[in-house]
Amino acid sequence: YEFTRAITRRPAATIAEGLRAEDTGNPNLDTMLAAHKAYVAALKSTGAEVIELAPLPAFPDAQFVEDTALCLPKGAILMRPGAPSRMGEVAEMAPTLRACYDTVHEITGPGHIEGGDILVTGREILVGRSDRTDGAGVEELEKITSDWGYTLREVFTPEGVLHFKTDCSLMDAETILATRRLDASGCFEGYRVLHVPEGEEAAANAIRFNGLVLMAAGFPRTAELLDREGFEVVEIDNTDCAKLDGGMSCLSLRF
Ligand code: CIR
Protein backbone atom coordinates (compact mmCIF):
# COMPACT_ATOMS: atom_id res chain seq x y z
CA TYR A 1 0.00 0.00 0.00
CA GLU A 2 3.03 2.25 -0.24
CA PHE A 3 3.33 3.66 -3.73
CA THR A 4 5.24 6.37 -5.52
CA ARG A 5 3.22 6.29 -8.73
CA ALA A 6 -0.20 5.68 -10.16
CA ILE A 7 -1.65 5.55 -13.65
CA THR A 8 -5.19 6.74 -14.36
CA ARG A 9 -7.17 7.38 -17.54
CA ARG A 10 -9.81 10.07 -17.95
CA PRO A 11 -13.29 8.75 -18.76
CA ALA A 12 -14.34 9.18 -22.41
CA ALA A 13 -17.56 10.63 -23.77
CA THR A 14 -18.61 7.07 -24.70
CA ILE A 15 -18.86 5.85 -21.07
CA ALA A 16 -22.58 5.05 -21.44
CA GLU A 17 -21.52 2.14 -23.69
CA GLY A 18 -19.49 0.61 -20.87
CA LEU A 19 -20.24 -2.90 -19.65
CA ARG A 20 -22.64 -3.38 -16.75
CA ALA A 21 -24.30 -6.37 -15.15
CA GLU A 22 -27.51 -4.50 -14.50
CA ASP A 23 -28.88 -1.33 -16.04
CA THR A 24 -29.37 1.27 -13.31
CA GLY A 25 -29.27 4.22 -15.71
CA ASN A 26 -26.53 5.85 -17.71
CA PRO A 27 -23.55 7.51 -16.03
CA ASN A 28 -23.14 11.26 -16.48
CA LEU A 29 -19.85 12.34 -18.03
CA ASP A 30 -19.59 15.70 -16.24
CA THR A 31 -20.11 14.35 -12.75
CA MET A 32 -17.89 11.36 -13.52
CA LEU A 33 -15.10 13.68 -14.64
CA ALA A 34 -15.49 15.76 -11.48
CA ALA A 35 -15.26 12.63 -9.31
CA HIS A 36 -12.27 11.42 -11.32
CA LYS A 37 -10.51 14.74 -10.71
CA ALA A 38 -11.12 14.41 -6.97
CA TYR A 39 -9.76 10.85 -7.09
CA VAL A 40 -6.56 11.93 -8.86
CA ALA A 41 -6.15 14.86 -6.47
CA ALA A 42 -6.41 12.52 -3.47
CA LEU A 43 -3.72 10.22 -4.91
CA LYS A 44 -1.47 13.21 -5.59
CA SER A 45 -2.01 14.64 -2.11
CA THR A 46 0.01 11.72 -0.71
CA GLY A 47 3.06 12.86 -2.68
CA ALA A 48 2.73 10.26 -5.44
CA GLU A 49 3.20 11.02 -9.12
CA VAL A 50 0.03 10.37 -11.10
CA ILE A 51 0.26 9.66 -14.82
CA GLU A 52 -3.02 10.80 -16.32
CA LEU A 53 -3.75 9.18 -19.67
CA ALA A 54 -6.09 10.61 -22.30
CA PRO A 55 -9.62 9.24 -22.80
CA LEU A 56 -10.08 6.37 -25.26
CA PRO A 57 -13.52 6.76 -26.85
CA ALA A 58 -13.16 3.41 -28.66
CA PHE A 59 -12.99 1.66 -25.26
CA PRO A 60 -15.79 2.88 -22.99
CA ASP A 61 -14.46 0.94 -19.97
CA ALA A 62 -10.88 2.17 -20.38
CA GLN A 63 -10.95 4.41 -17.27
CA PHE A 64 -10.94 1.17 -15.28
CA VAL A 65 -7.20 0.82 -15.93
CA GLU A 66 -6.62 -1.63 -13.09
CA ASP A 67 -7.94 -4.50 -15.18
CA THR A 68 -5.26 -4.15 -17.85
CA ALA A 69 -2.15 -4.95 -15.79
CA LEU A 70 -0.60 -6.08 -12.54
CA CYS A 71 2.19 -3.83 -11.28
CA LEU A 72 4.74 -5.36 -8.92
CA PRO A 73 8.11 -4.01 -7.76
CA LYS A 74 10.00 -6.38 -10.09
CA GLY A 75 7.97 -5.67 -13.18
CA ALA A 76 4.56 -5.24 -14.74
CA ILE A 77 2.41 -7.95 -16.29
CA LEU A 78 -0.10 -7.11 -18.99
CA MET A 79 -3.38 -8.92 -18.44
CA ARG A 80 -5.70 -10.64 -20.90
CA PRO A 81 -9.23 -9.44 -20.10
CA GLY A 82 -12.08 -11.92 -20.15
CA ALA A 83 -14.39 -9.26 -21.56
CA PRO A 84 -13.87 -9.21 -25.35
CA SER A 85 -14.73 -5.51 -25.61
CA ARG A 86 -11.88 -4.73 -23.19
CA MET A 87 -9.07 -6.74 -24.83
CA GLY A 88 -7.81 -3.78 -26.85
CA GLU A 89 -7.26 -1.69 -23.71
CA VAL A 90 -4.13 -3.70 -22.92
CA ALA A 91 -2.22 -2.56 -26.02
CA GLU A 92 -3.21 1.01 -25.17
CA MET A 93 -1.67 0.65 -21.70
CA ALA A 94 1.49 -1.22 -22.77
CA PRO A 95 3.63 1.76 -23.89
CA THR A 96 3.07 3.59 -20.60
CA LEU A 97 4.13 0.57 -18.57
CA ARG A 98 7.13 -0.06 -20.82
CA ALA A 99 8.23 3.51 -20.13
CA CYS A 100 7.93 2.97 -16.36
CA TYR A 101 9.40 -0.53 -16.07
CA ASP A 102 12.45 -2.39 -17.41
CA THR A 103 10.54 -5.65 -17.27
CA VAL A 104 7.07 -6.04 -18.74
CA HIS A 105 5.59 -9.50 -19.22
CA GLU A 106 2.27 -10.36 -20.76
CA ILE A 107 -0.37 -13.00 -20.38
CA THR A 108 -0.56 -14.47 -23.86
CA GLY A 109 -3.44 -16.91 -23.40
CA PRO A 110 -5.39 -18.98 -24.07
CA GLY A 111 -6.50 -18.07 -20.53
CA HIS A 112 -7.98 -14.83 -19.31
CA ILE A 113 -7.26 -12.71 -16.27
CA GLU A 114 -8.21 -9.16 -15.20
CA GLY A 115 -6.43 -7.03 -12.62
CA GLY A 116 -9.64 -6.53 -10.63
CA ASP A 117 -9.39 -10.16 -9.57
CA ILE A 118 -5.93 -9.79 -8.04
CA LEU A 119 -5.19 -8.71 -4.46
CA VAL A 120 -1.54 -8.39 -3.50
CA THR A 121 -1.14 -8.63 0.28
CA GLY A 122 1.93 -8.45 2.48
CA ARG A 123 2.55 -12.16 2.09
CA GLU A 124 1.01 -13.44 -1.14
CA ILE A 125 -0.93 -12.76 -4.31
CA LEU A 126 -4.59 -13.78 -4.13
CA VAL A 127 -6.34 -14.30 -7.45
CA GLY A 128 -10.09 -14.86 -7.57
CA ARG A 129 -11.47 -16.87 -10.42
CA SER A 130 -14.52 -15.10 -11.81
CA ASP A 131 -16.49 -14.68 -15.01
CA ARG A 132 -13.46 -12.72 -16.26
CA THR A 133 -10.58 -14.75 -14.84
CA ASP A 134 -10.15 -18.45 -15.52
CA GLY A 135 -7.84 -21.22 -14.33
CA ALA A 136 -5.54 -20.98 -17.36
CA GLY A 137 -5.10 -17.24 -16.83
CA VAL A 138 -4.24 -17.77 -13.17
CA GLU A 139 -1.77 -20.51 -14.10
CA GLU A 140 0.02 -18.32 -16.61
CA LEU A 141 0.32 -15.49 -14.07
CA GLU A 142 1.60 -17.91 -11.46
CA LYS A 143 4.49 -18.95 -13.71
CA ILE A 144 5.66 -15.34 -13.92
CA THR A 145 5.16 -14.36 -10.27
CA SER A 146 6.73 -17.54 -8.87
CA ASP A 147 9.94 -16.68 -10.74
CA TRP A 148 9.85 -13.38 -8.87
CA GLY A 149 9.52 -15.19 -5.55
CA TYR A 150 5.82 -14.65 -4.88
CA THR A 151 3.37 -17.18 -3.55
CA LEU A 152 0.16 -17.08 -5.55
CA ARG A 153 -3.07 -18.55 -4.20
CA GLU A 154 -6.13 -19.13 -6.34
CA VAL A 155 -9.41 -18.32 -4.63
CA PHE A 156 -12.97 -17.81 -5.83
CA THR A 157 -15.08 -14.73 -6.43
CA PRO A 158 -18.70 -15.25 -5.27
CA GLU A 159 -21.41 -15.78 -7.93
CA GLY A 160 -22.82 -12.52 -9.16
CA VAL A 161 -19.81 -10.47 -8.03
CA LEU A 162 -17.86 -8.98 -10.96
CA HIS A 163 -14.32 -9.09 -9.61
CA PHE A 164 -12.63 -10.49 -6.50
CA LYS A 165 -11.73 -6.96 -5.42
CA THR A 166 -15.29 -5.76 -5.92
CA ASP A 167 -15.72 -7.28 -2.46
CA CYS A 168 -12.40 -6.64 -0.72
CA SER A 169 -9.42 -4.36 -0.36
CA LEU A 170 -6.10 -4.34 1.42
CA MET A 171 -5.92 -1.88 4.33
CA ASP A 172 -2.41 -2.79 5.52
CA ALA A 173 -0.11 -5.79 5.15
CA GLU A 174 -2.30 -7.94 7.41
CA THR A 175 -5.71 -6.25 7.31
CA ILE A 176 -8.37 -6.73 4.69
CA LEU A 177 -11.67 -4.92 4.35
CA ALA A 178 -14.16 -7.41 2.95
CA THR A 179 -17.82 -8.26 2.63
CA ARG A 180 -19.08 -11.07 4.80
CA ARG A 181 -20.13 -13.03 1.71
CA LEU A 182 -16.55 -13.09 0.43
CA ASP A 183 -14.92 -13.73 3.80
CA ALA A 184 -17.35 -16.64 4.32
CA SER A 185 -15.50 -18.50 1.56
CA GLY A 186 -12.53 -18.81 3.93
CA CYS A 187 -10.10 -17.13 1.57
CA PHE A 188 -8.74 -14.74 4.21
CA GLU A 189 -7.81 -17.23 6.88
CA GLY A 190 -4.93 -15.90 8.93
CA TYR A 191 -5.61 -12.26 8.06
CA ARG A 192 -7.30 -9.64 10.17
CA VAL A 193 -10.58 -8.99 8.38
CA LEU A 194 -12.76 -5.92 8.85
CA HIS A 195 -16.30 -6.63 7.69
CA VAL A 196 -18.13 -4.01 5.70
CA PRO A 197 -21.39 -3.36 7.59
CA GLU A 198 -24.49 -5.04 6.14
CA GLY A 199 -26.10 -2.99 3.41
CA GLU A 200 -22.83 -1.22 2.59
CA GLU A 201 -21.24 -4.03 0.54
CA ALA A 202 -20.44 -1.59 -2.27
CA ALA A 203 -17.95 0.13 0.05
CA ALA A 204 -15.65 -2.91 0.06
CA ASN A 205 -13.86 -1.80 -3.09
CA ALA A 206 -11.62 0.80 -1.50
CA ILE A 207 -7.89 1.47 -1.77
CA ARG A 208 -5.22 2.07 0.79
CA PHE A 209 -2.86 4.47 -0.95
CA ASN A 210 0.02 5.62 1.23
CA GLY A 211 -1.49 7.44 4.23
CA LEU A 212 -5.04 7.48 2.87
CA VAL A 213 -7.94 5.14 2.34
CA LEU A 214 -10.03 6.20 -0.66
CA MET A 215 -13.56 4.89 -0.45
CA ALA A 216 -16.86 5.52 -2.19
CA ALA A 217 -18.94 8.25 -0.56
CA GLY A 218 -22.31 7.39 0.94
CA PHE A 219 -21.36 4.52 3.24
CA PRO A 220 -21.21 6.20 6.66
CA ARG A 221 -20.91 3.05 8.75
CA THR A 222 -17.92 1.81 6.76
CA ALA A 223 -16.29 5.25 6.96
CA GLU A 224 -16.85 5.24 10.71
CA LEU A 225 -15.41 1.73 11.06
CA LEU A 226 -12.25 2.67 9.18
CA ASP A 227 -11.91 5.90 11.11
CA ARG A 228 -12.23 4.00 14.39
CA GLU A 229 -9.49 1.66 13.18
CA GLY A 230 -7.21 4.65 12.73
CA PHE A 231 -7.30 5.03 8.94
CA GLU A 232 -7.51 8.44 7.31
CA VAL A 233 -10.49 8.18 5.00
CA VAL A 234 -11.19 10.24 1.88
CA GLU A 235 -14.65 9.78 0.38
CA ILE A 236 -15.00 10.05 -3.39
CA ASP A 237 -18.29 10.23 -5.27
CA ASN A 238 -18.64 6.86 -7.01
CA THR A 239 -22.23 7.26 -8.25
CA ASP A 240 -21.40 7.23 -11.95
CA CYS A 241 -18.69 4.55 -11.88
CA ALA A 242 -21.01 2.35 -9.83
CA LYS A 243 -23.46 2.33 -12.75
CA LEU A 244 -20.67 0.58 -14.70
CA ASP A 245 -19.77 -1.76 -11.81
CA GLY A 246 -16.59 0.22 -11.14
CA GLY A 247 -15.08 1.40 -7.87
CA MET A 248 -12.01 2.88 -6.23
CA SER A 249 -9.47 0.20 -7.12
CA CYS A 250 -10.49 -0.05 -10.78
CA LEU A 251 -9.55 3.56 -11.49
CA SER A 252 -5.79 3.25 -11.05
CA LEU A 253 -2.70 1.12 -11.40
CA ARG A 254 -0.52 1.68 -8.34
CA PHE A 255 3.18 0.93 -7.96
C1 CIR B 1 -16.43 -3.95 -16.65
O1 CIR B 1 -17.48 -4.57 -16.58
O2 CIR B 1 -15.38 -4.48 -17.03
C2 CIR B 1 -16.43 -2.49 -16.27
N1 CIR B 1 -17.68 -1.91 -16.59
C3 CIR B 1 -16.11 -2.32 -14.80
C4 CIR B 1 -14.75 -2.75 -14.42
C5 CIR B 1 -14.44 -2.55 -12.99
N2 CIR B 1 -13.11 -2.89 -12.69
C6 CIR B 1 -12.68 -3.45 -11.54
O3 CIR B 1 -13.49 -3.83 -10.69
N3 CIR B 1 -11.39 -3.65 -11.40
Side-chain angles (χ1 to χ4, degrees):
Y1 55 89
E2 279 167 0
F3 306 104
T4 55
R5 283 172 162 192
I7 301 174
T8 62
R9 186 183 290 287
R10 262 199 314 286
T14 53
I15 43 161
E17 292 159 35
L19 297 172
R20 56 192 102 170
E22 207 183 300
D23 192 357
T24 57
N26 280 340
N28 176 286
L29 181 63
D30 292 333
T31 48
M32 192 189 270
L33 283 170
H36 199 261
K37 212 170 150 186
Y39 178 90
V40 170
L43 298 181
K44 282 185 180 165
S45 76
T46 70
E49 178 200 350
V50 181
I51 300 172
E52 297 174 75
L53 301 176
L56 287 178
F59 298 103
D61 282 304
Q63 76 263 28
F64 302 121
V65 286
E66 171 175 67
D67 295 316
T68 63
L70 174 64
C71 293
L72 294 170
K74 289 198 176 164
I77 303 152
L78 297 166
M79 297 285 116
R80 192 162 182 270
S85 67
R86 303 200 56 193
M87 280 264 206
E89 293 175 28
V90 177
E92 298 286 348
M93 180 56 71
T96 304
L97 288 174
R98 293 210 165 93
C100 293
Y101 278 101
D102 291 334
T103 307
V104 178
H105 287 287
E106 61 188 296
I107 303 294
T108 56
H112 294 278
I113 182 162
E114 297 190 358
D117 282 315
I118 307 173
L119 184 76
V120 182
T121 76
R123 65 173 94 140
E124 61 184 340
I125 300 176
L126 292 171
V127 189
R129 270 212 222 181
S130 69
D131 284 349
R132 303 285 180 84
T133 293
D134 56 27
V138 178
E139 212 175 289
E140 198 180 340
L141 177 68
E142 208 266 338
K143 283 198 190 102
I144 299 167
T145 55
S146 66
D147 279 350
W148 289 347
Y150 287 93
T151 305
L152 184 150
R153 184 155 60 94
E154 185 181 71
V155 290
F156 294 87
T157 304
E159 267 301 308
V161 176
L162 175 62
H163 285 124
F164 185 64
K165 271 190 299 188
T166 305
D167 268 33
C168 67
S169 30
L170 188 79
M171 293 290 110
D172 61 36
E174 287 299 315
T175 310
I176 288 166
L177 175 71
T179 59
R180 279 183 194 277
R181 69 183 167 205
L182 179 57
D183 189 28
S185 71
C187 60
F188 299 129
E189 228 180 277
Y191 288 94
R192 182 173 161 252
V193 181
L194 302 175
H195 289 134
V196 170
E198 212 185 314
E200 295 201 353
E201 283 73 13
N205 180 275
I207 50 167
R208 171 77 191 274
F209 190 82
N210 298 323
L212 300 178
V213 173
L214 276 67
M215 63 167 275
F219 302 98
R221 286 177 296 142
T222 307
E224 201 182 300
L225 165 73
L226 293 174
D227 182 64
R228 219 183 313 127
E229 291 288 333
F231 297 106
E232 188 176 336
V233 174
V234 177
E235 296 184 46
I236 307 282
D237 176 14
N238 194 52
T239 319
D240 295 294
C241 282
K243 291 177 178 163
L244 300 174
D245 306 327
M248 293 297 113
S249 76
C250 326
L251 293 171
S252 57
L253 283 168
R254 303 162 290 279
F255 53 103

